[in-house]
Amino acid sequence: MGADAANGNGIGEATCLREMANALRMLAVDAVENAQSGHPGMPLGMADLASVLFTRVLKFDAADPDWHDRDRFVLSNGHGSMLQYGLLYLSGYPDISLEDIKRFRQRGSMAAGHPEFRHPRGVETTTGPLGQGVANAVGMALAERILNGRFGDKLVDHRTYAFCGDGCLMEGVAQEAISLAGHLGLSKLTLVFDDNATTIDGTTSVATSEDHIKRFEAANWATIRIDGHDMKEIENAFAFAAISDRPTLIAARTRIGYGAPTKEGKSVAHGAPLGTEEVAGLKASLGWETPAFEIPAPILNAWRLAGQRSRNLRQDWSERLSASGRGGEFSAAVEGQRSGDLEAHFTGAIAALVANPVKEPVRKSSQRACGLLLRDLKELIGGSADLTGSVLSAAETMRPIVPNDYSGNHVSYGVREHAMAAVMNGMAAHGGVFPYGGTYLTFSDYCRPSLRLAALMQLSVVFLFSHDSIGVGEDGPTHQPIEQLASLRAIPGLNVYRPADAIEALECWYDAANRNGPAAMIVSRQATPQVRTRAENHMPARRGGYVLSPSDGPRDATLLATGTEVALALAVKDVLQVEGYKIAVVSMPCWERFDEQDSIYQRDVLGNAARFSIEAGSRFGWTQYVGHRDHAFGIDDFGLSAPGPQVFEEKGLTVEPIARRIMERLTRSEAEQTLA
């Protein structure tokens, strides 16, 4: 067919594609103008690339956004969100309407300021913090290869496409992920770079001068440079990516604010409405004659046909799934269903530990829990940031995922904590895998943006953080976490578990695996005794807090503790009991889960007596349970380089000082009550 041959709408093919791209441009501009807020420059510049991708390349069925073998599209430069909303609306996705676009950035609209995961369906991940989407896309491409290794080409064979800008490529998380993707040879990943040479501060030359083509080639990517406004070059670039044996960068030279008469190519087009006069000039330059938000019927029809382009492929896939005999297994994996045998395996392991207690680092207990999960969850994918033997992230039966062999179940992320967290988010958003990855707790700071986004999206992913306190010892204050627990607990929607021993580690891992949303699993390097020595009819750690050691009669005080400090609290209780005090010890492995319990349960656990907390970290937050900062034993400065027991002694977190101070406060309280 010739370049401008007639299609089913009576419009020349090339002409139609240009008009389809212009429809995408004008929807974005009209929405931003109507909201008087947003970013029109990127959608204007990338509309040609997006139109070719969605009408000629991307495998999707707009009528079934959840089809699992669809290609994934990620808009990493998420400030240009109207590009994505326009694509979804024009293609016929059911969750977004023209009314949503008219109400862009307004309360209740599906067209939010930045793309939000599955809001509407078709948005594959939450983006906006630059670089995150690049790393998420790497995770999606990796998840596709892992599932392909499990289920084969007939059920899993799709690609991942991501758009990004200069800002994304400047962010460290993107470079970490780019390096990992090239190393793993993720050939079904294509990154389209909006190379418009423009930043908010002016041209990119004010901040960077690197050659991105050389940079990506050095990271084992295939590369191609094109004119991002030449439809034929765009199509050829996607065809090039489709046959590449490596991930592909398409560096597309574009013009920000394309078509705007006075703002094209200028940073002023980036993040503000164009204005009435500029919009009129844009329409004139594009030859667009319809009123705001109005799409000519032939153009809208062409878009809707594009949204149905892969319908037969989806139907064929559904038939293959039904005929495969693995439909139930596949559905369980992608829907995150858990085997009924899982609980029996965990309760059996707990019973064995009750019968034969162990003293071990909680990181070792965590490794045992991962091994149990792996017996029932083939979708479990572990990993670490170059610390596998230190955080014990690999269960004994795990095999490594290596370049071009994705049949294993443990990823060596390298010293790339930020990318590890963001890649895991992409894996979880893709579906079909349940990822976890480990590093030291003090390095959770490198992961924090991804932790926050995991919580925003409520992704099922576990962030494993070992070396959880000043017990790290000789490595000193740089490696001894102090404020990290408090900062993690401050993230809404993140369950932060700090198990006390081998049994609690099993219960916390079981809880994390059976709940929607992300978890941070905090484990110790140093050994700790098993504090749970009796059988329970349920898994009490799953309730977040419980009475581990009740008092012998009405309480004089309740000691609350987490992690290895639970054993310390029990030792403090022993001293106080000798002095005649009746003390209960409460283990609180997960504040978030405890706060979800009903008030009666909480009162029964916490009691009415004075409360004291013991945790080898910041005291911040404990006052909600103990009432006064003086009742919280913790650390409000940094650690020091010395053997772990000496650091605990230096910081006053040993039995005798804590017991003495509690007795002083109880005595003072009794005296105050007498005076009253």
Side-chain angles (χ1 to χ4, degrees):
M1 183 178 287
D4 212 27
N7 63 20
N9 296 304
I11 304 174
E13 183 177 347
T15 302
C16 182
L17 191 53
R18 285 193 294 272
E19 291 299 298
M20 293 169 78
N22 288 340
L24 192 55
R25 287 186 170 99
M26 291 313 305
L27 269 184
V29 167
D30 290 341
V32 170
E33 206 67 26
N34 204 44
Q36 283 298 290
S37 171
H39 301 76
M42 187 275 270
L44 285 170
M46 295 198 80
D48 295 323
L49 291 151
S51 298
V52 172
L53 177 62
F54 268 69
T55 64
R56 300 288 192 270
V57 180
L58 198 71
K59 183 175 73 170
F60 73 103
D61 181 359
D64 186 3
D66 298 324
W67 172 29
H68 202 270
D69 203 38
R70 68 191 181 276
D71 288 344
R72 276 22 177 217
F73 170 69
V74 174
L75 189 71
S76 185
N77 41 352
H79 52 268
S81 57
M82 263 311 307
L83 181 76
Q84 186 157 29
Y85 302 139
L87 287 165
L88 296 180
Y89 165 70
L90 290 169
S91 298
Y93 278 78
D95 289 359
I96 189 165
S97 67
L98 186 60
E99 191 60 31
D100 286 310
I101 288 175
K102 290 179 179 179
R103 298 181 58 252
F104 175 52
R105 289 185 159 223
Q106 306 307 304
R107 182 178 180 179
S109 173
M110 281 289 185
H114 288 80
E116 298 178 10
F117 179 50
R118 296 183 63 79
H119 181 89
R121 288 178 300 165
V123 176
E124 304 285 5
T125 184
T126 297
T127 57
L130 295 179
Q132 285 284 335
V134 173
N136 292 168
V138 172
M140 292 176 188
L142 178 56
E144 188 273 344
R145 288 292 83 195
I146 292 169
L147 284 173
N148 175 270
R150 179 178 172 186
F151 291 104
D153 289 342
K154 290 185 177 180
L155 298 185
V156 183
D157 185 15
H158 55 268
R159 306 184 67 87
T160 302
Y161 297 89
F163 283 6
C164 73
D166 294 284
C168 292
L169 297 186
M170 291 182 197
E171 292 285 0
V173 63
Q175 175 54 32
E176 291 181 21
I178 289 160
S179 175
L180 179 65
H183 167 71
L184 290 174
L186 298 177
S187 60
K188 287 184 172 288
L189 172 65
T190 300
L191 184 62
V192 180
F193 168 35
D194 179 21
D195 185 12
N196 60 28
T198 308
T199 69
I200 293 175
D201 283 353
T203 64
T204 52
S205 62
V206 303
T208 182
S209 56
E210 61 198 300
D211 185 325
H212 290 294
I213 292 291
K214 291 180 179 178
R215 169 188 172 189
F216 275 80
E217 288 175 346
N220 196 38
W221 283 59
T223 63
I224 184 170
R225 193 186 299 277
I226 65 168
D227 179 346
H229 301 298
D230 185 310
M231 300 296 190
K232 191 61 178 176
E233 284 194 27
I234 296 169
E235 259 191 280
N236 289 341
F238 284 123
F240 168 79
I243 61 173
S244 173
D245 61 355
R246 293 175 290 166
T248 300
L249 170 73
I250 299 174
R253 180 52 62 119
T254 61
R255 299 195 292 280
I256 191 171
Y258 179 90
T262 69
K263 297 183 178 181
E264 180 185 295
K266 299 177 181 177
S267 58
V268 69
H270 169 78
L274 295 179
T276 303
E277 290 185 11
E278 193 76 8
V279 171
L282 171 66
K283 286 186 172 185
S285 71
L286 298 179
W288 192 262
E289 298 178 350
T290 58
F293 299 108
E294 186 174 312
I295 309 298
I299 301 303
L300 182 58
N301 186 50
W303 269 110
R304 294 293 158 87
L305 289 173
Q308 302 170 21
R309 187 171 46 84
S310 301
R311 185 153 300 171
N312 289 339
L313 295 177
R314 177 184 60 80
Q315 292 169 346
D316 290 345
W317 177 85
S318 297
E319 292 172 3
R320 290 197 303 274
L321 179 64
S322 298
S324 69
R326 304 184 69 185
E329 181 187 358
F330 186 86
S331 296
V334 300
E335 294 171 12
Q337 299 171 7
R338 302 297 183 239
S339 162
D341 295 332
L342 192 61
E343 183 175 3
H345 289 146
F346 271 74
T347 54
I350 291 168
L353 286 168
V354 169
N356 297 286
V358 297
K359 180 180 180 179
E360 65 184 14
V362 184
R363 59 177 173 162
K364 178 66 177 176
S365 311
S366 169
Q367 185 184 44
R368 181 186 295 111
C370 292
L372 278 178
L373 285 172
L374 196 61
R375 292 173 61 178
D376 292 277
L377 301 180
K378 290 184 175 64
E379 57 266 33
L380 188 70
I381 304 295
S384 85
D386 196 43
L387 292 169
T388 301
S390 193
V391 302
L392 301 184
S393 59
E396 291 182 2
T397 56
M398 280 185 161
R399 296 184 300 106
I401 290 170
V402 296
N404 303 312
D405 180 2
Y406 313 99
S407 60
N409 43 23
H410 190 274
V411 183
S412 291
Y413 289 100
V415 188
R416 303 183 182 100
E417 294 90 351
H418 199 169
M420 177 180 73
V423 167
M424 289 195 299
N425 283 354
M427 295 167 71
H430 176 278
V433 295
F434 177 33
Y436 72 89
T439 186
Y440 294 165
L441 178 56
T442 193
F443 301 145
S444 64
D445 295 335
Y446 286 138
C447 305
R448 188 172 179 84
S450 301
L451 283 159
R452 185 174 189 270
L453 286 168
L456 258 173
M457 291 185 269
Q458 280 297 285
L459 298 173
S460 293
V461 57
V462 177
F463 303 91
L464 174 62
F465 297 125
S466 179
H467 294 53
D468 68 345
S469 74
I470 55 174
V472 171
E474 293 88 344
D475 281 337
T478 60
H479 284 56
Q480 294 170 8
I482 300 297
E483 74 281 12
Q484 281 74 18
L485 272 169
S487 70
L488 292 175
R489 287 169 177 154
I491 299 175
L494 176 69
N495 284 334
V496 181
Y497 299 90
R498 191 175 183 236
D501 67 359
I503 290 179
E504 283 197 0
L506 291 176
E507 293 177 354
C508 290
W509 265 104
Y510 180 84
D511 196 60
N514 281 276
R515 293 179 60 78
N516 293 325
M521 193 68 60
I522 317 297
V523 296
S524 69
R525 182 185 75 167
Q526 72 272 23
T528 189
Q530 186 172 309
V531 297
R532 282 268 296 282
T533 56
R534 64 180 186 275
E536 303 282 356
N537 294 326
H538 58 293
M539 300 185 193
R542 295 192 67 192
R543 303 192 76 171
Y546 64 100
V547 178
L548 172 67
S549 178
S551 61
D552 184 16
R555 301 181 196 180
D556 292 313
T558 301
L559 308 184
L560 316 176
T562 74
T564 55
E565 289 78 76
V566 174
L568 175 58
L570 290 171
V572 171
K573 172 181 175 173
D574 290 341
V575 171
L576 293 174
Q577 283 192 148
V578 170
E579 298 296 328
Y581 291 98
K582 296 178 174 61
I583 305 296
V585 174
V586 170
S587 178
M588 290 192 67
C590 184
W591 290 11
E592 297 77 18
R593 294 289 283 124
F594 183 72
D595 290 345
E596 292 172 5
Q597 309 304 313
D598 64 74
S599 59
I600 295 174
Y601 177 80
Q602 291 178 0
R603 284 197 301 269
D604 287 345
V605 170
L606 296 176
N608 296 319
R611 303 173 198 149
F612 300 88
S613 66
I614 306 173
E615 187 172 67
S618 169
R619 293 187 292 169
F620 187 85
W622 274 108
T623 54
Q624 66 180 309
Y625 301 115
V626 301
H628 195 284
R629 191 169 174 81
D630 286 346
H631 283 214
F633 294 92
I635 305 170
D636 291 327
D637 56 6
F638 294 105
L640 68 150
S641 183
Q646 293 180 21
V647 184
F648 271 93
E649 183 176 2
E650 175 72 21
K651 297 300 180 182
L653 292 178
T654 53
V655 175
E656 294 299 332
I658 293 175
R660 183 177 64 252
R661 289 164 64 189
I662 288 175
M663 284 189 287
E664 289 172 355
R665 286 163 192 173
L666 290 176
T667 301
R668 185 190 314 148
S669 177
E670 290 171 0
E672 290 171 351
Q673 290 176 14
T674 301
L675 289 173

